[in-house]
Amino acid sequence: MYKRQVPLILWAPGLEPRRDDRLVRHVDLLPTMLEAAGLDVPDGLAGRSLFSPFEHDTTVSYLEALSANLNRGWAPLRGVIKGDYKLISVPITELYDLSTDAAEEVNLIQTERRIGAELRAELPEEEVWPPTRQKDVSASVEKLLLSLGYLTGEVEQKSVFTAEDDPKNLVELDRKLHEVIDHLNTGDLDLAAQKAREVIEIRPMAMAYSLLGQVLRRQNRDAEAVEVLEAAVQTGYAQTSTVRQLGLSLSRLGRNDEALELLAPLRDSGDAASLNDLASVMIETDRLQEARQVLVDSLDLEPGNPITYETMALLALRAGRWEDTRQAAQRALAIDDRLSLAWNYLGGALYNLGNRAEAVGA
């Protein structure tokens, strides 16, 4: 038996200690937990309970990894494990004998063609491959995924990938992208900007332009952000998030008419974040009634989005409706109490309502 590289540890009251060296997959966790809880495992549920007897080499295990494809436009990765062999289907296909090469260092795809063909035939037939990413992600989940580097926005979908798109050839670039995200999250913005520019020089890509735009905007370097984001649009490396950043940067520079023209096509995007940004620029141009309707539509799409309520507070503040401002800001903060602008709007509303002590607290 070869050594497994990733351990799985299960703990539960009354669970007897033991080791299990069988092949385990993520899909096996749910049926295992259901059985441990004394619940029936539904028919047709993927996976198998680890409390049930089975041999590690009797099941074909499917694997896939799509983050780099959906967020970077690189080749999708999928494969199968059957017996001692593992096939990874990417532009440069890989085949490993895990019984003698647990570290997956010796690619056997050229010398074991029959086994490679057998495993390739085990790959599922997909209606669409690679799949497109779903867009119905809540604001809180999107923020978390962004912080982890799993989500950055949509990329142009390709159907043909070459060796230059193979993830194994882009490991160093991927490391640099994660460095950008790490430095952005820890507040080391100068280093984040430097690493983002290095990525763009190596391989221009929408994710890197978007990250660099975020960094520059956080540094209040909006003129530079506009240059970077306009370059992304002009060279075809712009995501919706890039367009949104560009619009907000233009607005912060006082170029609201340009920002509105850029963001107006997002009115029918079905994306709450895009509608919130559009409404923000409308507020800056005193188009308050239009902004209010955009925010109402945004709430219909995502009722629990705190940024929508924060923007509603700004709208009410600009209109001098202090009680409406207070209510909207408090609703935003009830969802996410880290929203500094919502605290500012709340403070302004409370001050104008005569609650000066509470305003100072806000």
Side-chain angles (χ1 to χ4, degrees), residues 57-335:
D57 59 349
T58 60
T59 301
V60 175
S61 297
Y62 174 71
L63 57 98
E64 67 179 34
L66 293 170
S67 175
N69 171 253
L70 296 175
N71 292 306
R72 296 159 175 75
W74 301 349
L77 182 154
R78 63 176 181 162
V80 292
I81 299 175
K82 183 177 183 181
D84 291 328
Y85 287 94
K86 177 179 181 179
L87 176 85
I88 302 175
S89 178
V90 282
I92 303 174
T93 306
E94 302 166 51
L95 177 68
Y96 301 104
D97 182 349
L98 300 179
S99 66
T100 59
D101 181 21
E104 301 178 16
E105 295 178 331
V106 181
N107 187 357
L108 303 175
I109 194 63
Q110 296 300 327
T111 58
E112 299 289 351
R113 295 177 182 274
R114 180 185 59 79
I115 296 174
E118 288 178 2
L119 267 64
R120 190 177 286 109
E122 297 285 359
L123 290 169
E125 294 185 9
E126 307 284 357
E127 291 184 6
V128 177
W129 183 261
T132 56
R133 193 179 76 203
Q134 294 184 3
K135 297 180 181 294
D136 54 346
V137 179
S138 69
S140 58
V141 171
E142 180 177 24
K143 187 174 182 179
L144 176 61
L145 292 173
L146 282 166
S147 71
L148 296 173
Y150 286 120
L151 189 66
T152 57
E154 76 290 346
V155 297
E156 181 182 358
Q157 294 294 311
K158 296 172 62 176
S159 57
V160 178
F161 299 91
T162 64
E164 69 177 15
D165 303 310
D166 194 307
K168 74 172 71 63
N169 291 332
L170 297 165
V171 171
E172 179 61 21
L173 191 62
D174 185 68
R175 184 185 64 78
K176 284 183 176 292
L177 282 169
H178 280 282
E179 285 182 348
V180 177
I181 295 167
D182 290 342
H183 294 311
L184 179 60
N185 289 336
T186 58
D188 194 344
L189 301 182
D190 287 337
L191 198 51
Q194 175 189 324
K195 294 295 182 181
R197 292 185 190 278
E198 288 177 7
V199 171
I200 291 172
E201 185 175 349
I202 296 170
R203 181 177 170 127
M205 52 192 299
M207 180 180 182
Y209 279 108
S210 180
L211 286 170
L212 180 56
Q214 290 180 53
V215 174
L216 294 172
R217 293 188 66 243
R218 280 184 53 178
Q219 293 179 307
N220 295 317
R221 296 161 63 182
D222 289 286
E224 291 179 66
V226 166
E227 290 182 9
V228 167
L229 297 170
E230 284 183 334
V233 172
Q234 292 166 4
T235 55
Y237 293 107
Q239 308 165 330
T240 299
S241 60
T242 315
V243 174
R244 286 166 41 204
Q245 288 183 62
L246 176 56
L248 293 176
S249 295
L250 288 167
S251 181
R252 281 168 53 166
L253 291 172
R255 297 162 61 179
N256 288 307
D257 290 341
E258 294 175 68
L260 198 57
E261 182 180 359
L262 185 71
L263 297 178
L266 302 180
R267 180 66 177 84
D268 299 320
S269 66
D271 173 48
S274 296
L275 295 186
N276 292 338
D277 290 344
L278 174 60
S280 296
V281 176
M282 286 179 167
I283 293 169
E284 294 300 322
T285 57
D286 292 324
R287 299 170 65 167
L288 302 187
Q289 284 300 111
E290 289 180 71
R292 184 182 183 282
Q293 185 56 56
V294 170
L295 291 171
V296 169
D297 293 344
S298 178
L299 280 180
D300 287 340
L301 291 169
E302 194 176 318
N305 190 330
I307 303 300
T308 309
Y309 287 112
E310 183 180 64
T311 311
M312 282 184 158
L314 172 62
L315 174 65
L317 188 70
R318 290 292 177 87
R321 302 196 310 270
W322 314 126
E323 179 58 27
D324 289 346
T325 304
R326 181 187 68 79
Q327 291 182 18
Q330 287 179 333
R331 292 198 70 172
L333 292 167
I335 301 169

